[in-house]
Amino acid sequence: MKFAYLIMGNFDDGADKAEIHDGMAQIIGVAGIEDAMRVARRLQDEGVGCIELCGAFGESGARKIIEATENKLPVGYVTHLKEQDDVYKAAFSH
């Protein structure tokens, strides 16, 4: 199964990407939700069977990607344990 992982930040999805195993696994940087929705639809058209999202998407962003792919692909997003809230806040508040 082809798999993609989307990370959100100061990225250009045309340039900020990598793949291994002849494209079976991809990582793609996107600038925001709208970009991610567009990329997710393209990935779906290319036969990607599963999309995972970085934690920046949160539940609402994951729902937008599910909507963009018409709920036809499994879409997950990274979360962390509650006891790591302070560690995550310190790491990503810059």
Side-chain angles (χ1 to χ4, degrees):
M1 172 193 327
K2 286 185 175 181
F3 163 83
Y5 183 71
L6 303 183
I7 54 174
M8 188 164 44
N10 187 22
F11 298 111
D12 171 1
D13 63 88
D16 298 319
K17 58 187 174 182
E19 61 182 47
I20 57 174
H21 299 287
D22 295 321
M24 293 301 289
Q26 304 176 48
I27 183 169
I28 302 166
V30 296
I33 295 293
E34 294 299 319
D35 285 339
M37 292 170 67
R38 178 181 46 76
V39 168
R41 285 189 291 268
R42 178 178 54 80
L43 291 168
Q44 184 177 28
D45 290 344
E46 293 173 357
V48 166
C50 178
I51 297 175
E52 289 290 330
L53 309 168
C54 77
F57 282 84
E59 183 177 336
S60 65
R63 289 184 184 281
K64 295 236 184 224
I65 303 307
I66 291 167
E67 180 181 316
T69 57
E70 300 175 331
N71 197 28
K72 293 181 180 175
L73 296 179
V75 175
Y77 66 99
V78 175
T79 61
H80 63 271
L81 299 174
K82 183 100 175 118
E83 58 262 26
Q84 288 234 301
D85 281 352
D86 291 340
V87 175
Y88 268 76
K89 189 174 186 178
F92 293 107
S93 64
H94 302 281

